[in-house]
Structures are given as structure tokens and as C-alpha cells.
Amino acid sequence: MSSTHTAVRRAGAVAALAAAGVLTAAGVAFAHVTVHPDSYAKGATDGVLTFRVPNEEDTADTTKVQVFLPTDHPVMGVLVTRQDGWTAKVTTTRLKTPVKTDDGTITDAVSQITWSGGRIRSGEYQDFDVAFGQLPDDTDQLGFKTLQTYSDGKVVRWIEEPRKGAEEPESPVPVLKLTAGTAGDENAPMTASSSEAKAADEAPNSDSTARGLGIAGLVAGVMGLVAAGVAIARGRSARSS
């Protein structure tokens, strides 16, 4: 086998390993249970939160999803929508500290939503929509601890809190950031409808841009490695002749 072919094969093998590493890392990130959008204005009203649950098992289906809503900073006016194949059970809890609103004092709030009866198969995901009347305005973020149960009995607990400066935990809790700002500022509080519109407009563009840059970088890296291998092989061939 010629030195040129050997160099090209070596370069191709290195590139393939690099590509596999990039794609594997991306797959792990996408396998997390997440909440969308990932941010809302403090005190936002009449909006929707979507919990995206992917199936990360090859040999089992997801058969139950339990989302726990915080009661120290409760979400008011929670409603669930009908989901084909799934049954939703909503659990309410009496609040330790009642919340005063324009409509009166709230003493109870939803603390858990359980979806069961359906199936999320390998390589698929399911979106679960939850409407809210009002988000709290006295905290910077909300964590929604989630339990994902599989048909083989395995339970994945998405409950790990991220720590500043540390690596992302293996099973991070879905987090909704709550933002605040002044009028005219790009970070100014948005209404639910404007927040959803902004998320809908920006998410596809940012996702496609990031993926496009990642793919372009990967292709450029592969081509660079192959070109380097060919150049080395040609240099050796020239010296030998």
C-alpha cells in the first residue's frame, strides 16, 4: 500500500474519531429533560411551559413522567392540556405561606403533575404543555424536579442542581430562569405572548446557526486532516525519489 494511501487512511481515522466524539457529546446534551422556553419575565402571566422528555434508553419505553412544581415560589393557575395516549393527574398542596393576588389570597397551588398511560419510544421525545396564570416575581429561577420512569422499571431522577463553576451534572433539574429589566431594555419584563413569540423567533435561528457552525467546523477539520496526510505522503514520496 502506498504511503499516500496510508496517510489518507490515518487522517480519515483520526477525523472519524473526532467526529464521533463531537456527535456523542451532542447526543448526551440533547438527552436531558428540559423546559421551554428556558426563561420568562418575573411575574409573567398567561403563558405556557413545555416540558420536553426524550427517551435515552435503547431497550425500554418511557411510561410515566412526574414533574414537581416548587411550592416555596408557587406557580399560580396551572392547567394541563389533553395529551393523546396520556392521562394527567394534578396534585395540589396547601401553601405554607399564602400568596396575595389581585383576585384574593391563594392558599393552595399545584405541586405535582404526573403523566402516565402513554409511551415514548427509543429515539423519540414527547412535549408536555402546562399553562400558567402567573409566575412568581420573588426569585431568579424555578427548578422543576422530574422523575422519568421506563417500562423496565428504571427511574431517572432529573433533580441535580447545577453548581456555578462546576461541570453540568449527569441528571440536571430542568430550570426556568426568571428575568427582570426596565422599560426599553432588551431584558425588560415581557408579557407571556411576547416572550413566547421571542422564543419562537430566536430558538430556530440560534439552533440552526449553532448546528451549522458545528457541522462546518467538523467538515473543515476533516478536510484539513486529510489534506495534511496527503501533503506528508507526497513529501515522503518526493524525498524517496
mmCIF file of all heavy atoms in Angstrom, residues 87-116:
data_model
loop_
_atom_site.group_PDB
_atom_site.id
_atom_site.type_symbol
_atom_site.label_atom_id
_atom_site.label_comp_id
_atom_site.label_asym_id
_atom_site.label_seq_id
_atom_site.Cartn_x
_atom_site.Cartn_y
_atom_site.Cartn_z
ATOM 1 N N THR A 87 -52.595 10.194 30.338
ATOM 2 C CA THR A 87 -53.522 10.679 31.353
ATOM 3 C C THR A 87 -52.758 11.533 32.345
ATOM 4 O O THR A 87 -51.707 11.114 32.857
ATOM 5 C CB THR A 87 -54.192 9.514 32.104
ATOM 6 O OG1 THR A 87 -54.931 8.721 31.174
ATOM 7 C CG2 THR A 87 -55.132 10.032 33.179
ATOM 8 N N ALA A 88 -53.243 12.730 32.605
ATOM 9 C CA ALA A 88 -52.562 13.645 33.518
ATOM 10 C C ALA A 88 -53.274 13.685 34.864
ATOM 11 O O ALA A 88 -54.499 13.813 34.931
ATOM 12 C CB ALA A 88 -52.504 15.044 32.915
ATOM 13 N N LYS A 89 -52.490 13.557 35.921
ATOM 14 C CA LYS A 89 -53.007 13.684 37.283
ATOM 15 C C LYS A 89 -52.348 14.882 37.936
ATOM 16 O O LYS A 89 -51.115 14.969 38.000
ATOM 17 C CB LYS A 89 -52.720 12.419 38.097
ATOM 18 C CG LYS A 89 -53.207 12.507 39.532
ATOM 19 C CD LYS A 89 -52.842 11.253 40.330
ATOM 20 C CE LYS A 89 -53.294 11.382 41.777
ATOM 21 N NZ LYS A 89 -52.919 10.186 42.586
ATOM 22 N N VAL A 90 -53.171 15.812 38.425
ATOM 23 C CA VAL A 90 -52.665 17.044 39.036
ATOM 24 C C VAL A 90 -52.856 16.984 40.547
ATOM 25 O O VAL A 90 -53.953 16.716 41.034
ATOM 26 C CB VAL A 90 -53.389 18.276 38.460
ATOM 27 C CG1 VAL A 90 -52.886 19.552 39.127
ATOM 28 C CG2 VAL A 90 -53.188 18.357 36.945
ATOM 29 N N THR A 91 -51.763 17.214 41.271
ATOM 30 C CA THR A 91 -51.793 17.196 42.737
ATOM 31 C C THR A 91 -51.574 18.607 43.270
ATOM 32 O O THR A 91 -50.648 19.300 42.840
ATOM 33 C CB THR A 91 -50.687 16.278 43.302
ATOM 34 O OG1 THR A 91 -50.867 14.959 42.785
ATOM 35 C CG2 THR A 91 -50.742 16.233 44.819
ATOM 36 N N THR A 92 -52.428 19.034 44.187
ATOM 37 C CA THR A 92 -52.290 20.355 44.798
ATOM 38 C C THR A 92 -51.829 20.229 46.247
ATOM 39 O O THR A 92 -52.047 19.205 46.900
ATOM 40 C CB THR A 92 -53.611 21.142 44.755
ATOM 41 O OG1 THR A 92 -54.616 20.390 45.457
ATOM 42 C CG2 THR A 92 -54.054 21.356 43.320
ATOM 43 N N THR A 93 -51.198 21.283 46.734
ATOM 44 C CA THR A 93 -50.668 21.297 48.103
ATOM 45 C C THR A 93 -51.019 22.623 48.759
ATOM 46 O O THR A 93 -51.012 23.671 48.100
ATOM 47 C CB THR A 93 -49.138 21.119 48.094
ATOM 48 O OG1 THR A 93 -48.815 19.845 47.538
ATOM 49 C CG2 THR A 93 -48.570 21.207 49.505
ATOM 50 N N ARG A 94 -51.323 22.560 50.059
ATOM 51 C CA ARG A 94 -51.590 23.798 50.797
ATOM 52 C C ARG A 94 -50.262 24.509 51.044
ATOM 53 O O ARG A 94 -49.292 23.909 51.508
ATOM 54 C CB ARG A 94 -52.289 23.489 52.132
ATOM 55 C CG ARG A 94 -52.637 24.744 52.944
ATOM 56 C CD ARG A 94 -53.582 24.417 54.065
ATOM 57 N NE ARG A 94 -54.879 24.031 53.544
ATOM 58 C CZ ARG A 94 -55.842 24.875 53.198
ATOM 59 N NH1 ARG A 94 -55.634 26.188 53.301
ATOM 60 N NH2 ARG A 94 -56.990 24.432 52.748
ATOM 61 N N LEU A 95 -50.235 25.771 50.723
ATOM 62 C CA LEU A 95 -49.006 26.554 50.838
ATOM 63 C C LEU A 95 -48.725 26.934 52.285
ATOM 64 O O LEU A 95 -49.642 27.290 53.039
ATOM 65 C CB LEU A 95 -49.110 27.826 49.988
ATOM 66 C CG LEU A 95 -49.332 27.621 48.483
ATOM 67 C CD1 LEU A 95 -49.544 28.968 47.800
ATOM 68 C CD2 LEU A 95 -48.162 26.883 47.860
ATOM 69 N N LYS A 96 -47.425 26.868 52.654
ATOM 70 C CA LYS A 96 -47.042 27.291 53.995
ATOM 71 C C LYS A 96 -47.253 28.795 54.149
ATOM 72 O O LYS A 96 -47.630 29.283 55.219
ATOM 73 C CB LYS A 96 -45.580 26.934 54.249
ATOM 74 C CG LYS A 96 -45.315 25.438 54.345
ATOM 75 C CD LYS A 96 -43.851 25.170 54.647
ATOM 76 C CE LYS A 96 -43.585 23.674 54.761
ATOM 77 N NZ LYS A 96 -42.146 23.398 55.066
ATOM 78 N N THR A 97 -46.978 29.513 53.060
ATOM 79 C CA THR A 97 -47.185 30.963 53.068
ATOM 80 C C THR A 97 -48.163 31.327 51.960
ATOM 81 O O THR A 97 -47.821 31.250 50.773
ATOM 82 C CB THR A 97 -45.859 31.717 52.845
ATOM 83 O OG1 THR A 97 -44.909 31.319 53.835
ATOM 84 C CG2 THR A 97 -46.078 33.217 52.905
ATOM 85 N N PRO A 98 -49.394 31.687 52.282
ATOM 86 C CA PRO A 98 -50.372 32.057 51.255
ATOM 87 C C PRO A 98 -49.874 33.221 50.398
ATOM 88 O O PRO A 98 -49.083 34.052 50.850
ATOM 89 C CB PRO A 98 -51.608 32.468 52.071
ATOM 90 C CG PRO A 98 -51.449 31.742 53.371
ATOM 91 C CD PRO A 98 -49.964 31.722 53.640
ATOM 92 N N VAL A 99 -50.323 33.240 49.147
ATOM 93 C CA VAL A 99 -49.906 34.273 48.203
ATOM 94 C C VAL A 99 -51.066 35.233 47.968
ATOM 95 O O VAL A 99 -52.170 34.815 47.611
ATOM 96 C CB VAL A 99 -49.461 33.651 46.863
ATOM 97 C CG1 VAL A 99 -49.076 34.749 45.874
ATOM 98 C CG2 VAL A 99 -48.289 32.696 47.090
ATOM 99 N N LYS A 100 -50.809 36.527 48.150
ATOM 100 C CA LYS A 100 -51.840 37.539 47.932
ATOM 101 C C LYS A 100 -51.798 38.010 46.483
ATOM 102 O O LYS A 100 -50.738 38.373 45.974
ATOM 103 C CB LYS A 100 -51.648 38.716 48.877
ATOM 104 C CG LYS A 100 -51.846 38.368 50.345
ATOM 105 C CD LYS A 100 -51.700 39.591 51.239
ATOM 106 C CE LYS A 100 -51.929 39.229 52.706
ATOM 107 N NZ LYS A 100 -51.798 40.423 53.588
ATOM 108 N N THR A 101 -52.942 37.989 45.818
ATOM 109 C CA THR A 101 -53.052 38.439 44.438
ATOM 110 C C THR A 101 -54.192 39.444 44.320
ATOM 111 O O THR A 101 -54.940 39.679 45.284
ATOM 112 C CB THR A 101 -53.323 37.259 43.486
ATOM 113 O OG1 THR A 101 -54.653 36.751 43.717
ATOM 114 C CG2 THR A 101 -52.320 36.130 43.709
ATOM 115 N N ASP A 102 -54.351 40.008 43.141
ATOM 116 C CA ASP A 102 -55.442 40.957 42.909
ATOM 117 C C ASP A 102 -56.802 40.280 43.020
ATOM 118 O O ASP A 102 -57.814 40.942 43.261
ATOM 119 C CB ASP A 102 -55.302 41.594 41.522
ATOM 120 C CG ASP A 102 -54.061 42.467 41.418
ATOM 121 O OD1 ASP A 102 -53.568 42.915 42.475
ATOM 122 O OD2 ASP A 102 -53.580 42.688 40.280
ATOM 123 N N ASP A 103 -56.809 38.966 42.820
ATOM 124 C CA ASP A 103 -58.061 38.217 42.880
ATOM 125 C C ASP A 103 -58.321 37.609 44.254
ATOM 126 O O ASP A 103 -59.302 36.883 44.439
ATOM 127 C CB ASP A 103 -58.057 37.096 41.833
ATOM 128 C CG ASP A 103 -57.959 37.642 40.419
ATOM 129 O OD1 ASP A 103 -58.549 38.706 40.166
ATOM 130 O OD2 ASP A 103 -57.294 37.011 39.574
ATOM 131 N N GLY A 104 -57.440 37.881 45.196
ATOM 132 C CA GLY A 104 -57.625 37.330 46.536
ATOM 133 C C GLY A 104 -56.385 36.581 47.000
ATOM 134 O O GLY A 104 -55.345 36.583 46.341
ATOM 135 N N THR A 105 -56.483 35.927 48.136
ATOM 136 C CA THR A 105 -55.374 35.182 48.716
ATOM 137 C C THR A 105 -55.419 33.731 48.263
ATOM 138 O O THR A 105 -56.458 33.071 48.382
ATOM 139 C CB THR A 105 -55.410 35.249 50.248
ATOM 140 O OG1 THR A 105 -55.339 36.626 50.665
ATOM 141 C CG2 THR A 105 -54.254 34.481 50.852
ATOM 142 N N ILE A 106 -54.300 33.242 47.753
ATOM 143 C CA ILE A 106 -54.199 31.864 47.276
ATOM 144 C C ILE A 106 -53.571 31.010 48.371
ATOM 145 O O ILE A 106 -52.467 31.315 48.858
ATOM 146 C CB ILE A 106 -53.344 31.776 45.996
ATOM 147 C CG1 ILE A 106 -53.888 32.724 44.927
ATOM 148 C CG2 ILE A 106 -53.308 30.352 45.485
ATOM 149 C CD1 ILE A 106 -55.288 32.421 44.479
ATOM 150 N N THR A 107 -54.255 29.954 48.761
ATOM 151 C CA THR A 107 -53.754 29.082 49.836
ATOM 152 C C THR A 107 -53.294 27.723 49.318
ATOM 153 O O THR A 107 -52.622 26.993 50.048
ATOM 154 C CB THR A 107 -54.845 28.861 50.897
ATOM 155 O OG1 THR A 107 -56.008 28.273 50.270
ATOM 156 C CG2 THR A 107 -55.249 30.188 51.537
ATOM 157 N N ASP A 108 -53.661 27.380 48.088
ATOM 158 C CA ASP A 108 -53.278 26.090 47.515
ATOM 159 C C ASP A 108 -52.661 26.313 46.136
ATOM 160 O O ASP A 108 -53.031 27.233 45.419
ATOM 161 C CB ASP A 108 -54.480 25.151 47.392
ATOM 162 C CG ASP A 108 -55.110 24.845 48.747
ATOM 163 O OD1 ASP A 108 -55.976 25.633 49.187
ATOM 164 O OD2 ASP A 108 -54.702 23.843 49.358
ATOM 165 N N ALA A 109 -51.730 25.432 45.764
ATOM 166 C CA ALA A 109 -51.106 25.513 44.445
ATOM 167 C C ALA A 109 -50.742 24.112 43.977
ATOM 168 O O ALA A 109 -50.585 23.183 44.780
ATOM 169 C CB ALA A 109 -49.860 26.394 44.488
ATOM 170 N N VAL A 110 -50.602 23.967 42.669
ATOM 171 C CA VAL A 110 -50.221 22.676 42.098
ATOM 172 C C VAL A 110 -48.768 22.377 42.458
ATOM 173 O O VAL A 110 -47.882 23.213 42.272
ATOM 174 C CB VAL A 110 -50.399 22.673 40.569
ATOM 175 C CG1 VAL A 110 -49.831 21.386 39.964
ATOM 176 C CG2 VAL A 110 -51.874 22.811 40.218
ATOM 177 N N SER A 111 -48.526 21.178 42.993
ATOM 178 C CA SER A 111 -47.180 20.781 43.400
ATOM 179 C C SER A 111 -46.638 19.622 42.569
ATOM 180 O O SER A 111 -45.421 19.379 42.586
ATOM 181 C CB SER A 111 -47.174 20.369 44.877
ATOM 182 O OG SER A 111 -48.088 19.293 45.097
ATOM 183 N N GLN A 112 -47.511 18.931 41.852
ATOM 184 C CA GLN A 112 -47.031 17.790 41.058
ATOM 185 C C GLN A 112 -47.994 17.495 39.913
ATOM 186 O O GLN A 112 -49.216 17.589 40.075
ATOM 187 C CB GLN A 112 -46.902 16.546 41.939
ATOM 188 C CG GLN A 112 -46.439 15.297 41.205
ATOM 189 C CD GLN A 112 -46.359 14.081 42.119
ATOM 190 O OE1 GLN A 112 -46.311 14.212 43.350
ATOM 191 N NE2 GLN A 112 -46.345 12.891 41.552
ATOM 192 N N ILE A 113 -47.420 17.160 38.760
ATOM 193 C CA ILE A 113 -48.213 16.691 37.621
ATOM 194 C C ILE A 113 -47.615 15.372 37.163
ATOM 195 O O ILE A 113 -46.407 15.269 36.937
ATOM 196 C CB ILE A 113 -48.198 17.695 36.455
ATOM 197 C CG1 ILE A 113 -48.651 19.070 36.930
ATOM 198 C CG2 ILE A 113 -49.098 17.213 35.313
ATOM 199 C CD1 ILE A 113 -48.504 20.156 35.874
ATOM 200 N N THR A 114 -48.455 14.346 37.034
ATOM 201 C CA THR A 114 -47.992 13.023 36.617
ATOM 202 C C THR A 114 -48.697 12.626 35.331
ATOM 203 O O THR A 114 -49.934 12.610 35.271
ATOM 204 C CB THR A 114 -48.285 11.967 37.704
ATOM 205 O OG1 THR A 114 -47.604 12.338 38.907
ATOM 206 C CG2 THR A 114 -47.803 10.588 37.257
ATOM 207 N N TRP A 115 -47.911 12.336 34.302
ATOM 208 C CA TRP A 115 -48.457 11.829 33.049
ATOM 209 C C TRP A 115 -48.147 10.338 32.958
ATOM 210 O O TRP A 115 -47.003 9.915 33.156
ATOM 211 C CB TRP A 115 -47.827 12.536 31.848
ATOM 212 C CG TRP A 115 -48.261 13.955 31.654
ATOM 213 C CD1 TRP A 115 -49.366 14.391 30.974
ATOM 214 C CD2 TRP A 115 -47.605 15.144 32.117
ATOM 215 N NE1 TRP A 115 -49.434 15.760 31.002
ATOM 216 C CE2 TRP A 115 -48.360 16.254 31.681
ATOM 217 C CE3 TRP A 115 -46.428 15.359 32.850
ATOM 218 C CZ2 TRP A 115 -48.001 17.553 31.957
ATOM 219 C CZ3 TRP A 115 -46.061 16.662 33.139
ATOM 220 C CH2 TRP A 115 -46.839 17.744 32.696
ATOM 221 N N SER A 116 -49.149 9.541 32.645
ATOM 222 C CA SER A 116 -48.950 8.098 32.539
ATOM 223 C C SER A 116 -49.879 7.536 31.464
ATOM 224 O O SER A 116 -50.777 8.226 30.972
ATOM 225 C CB SER A 116 -49.227 7.411 33.885
ATOM 226 O OG SER A 116 -50.564 7.659 34.304
#
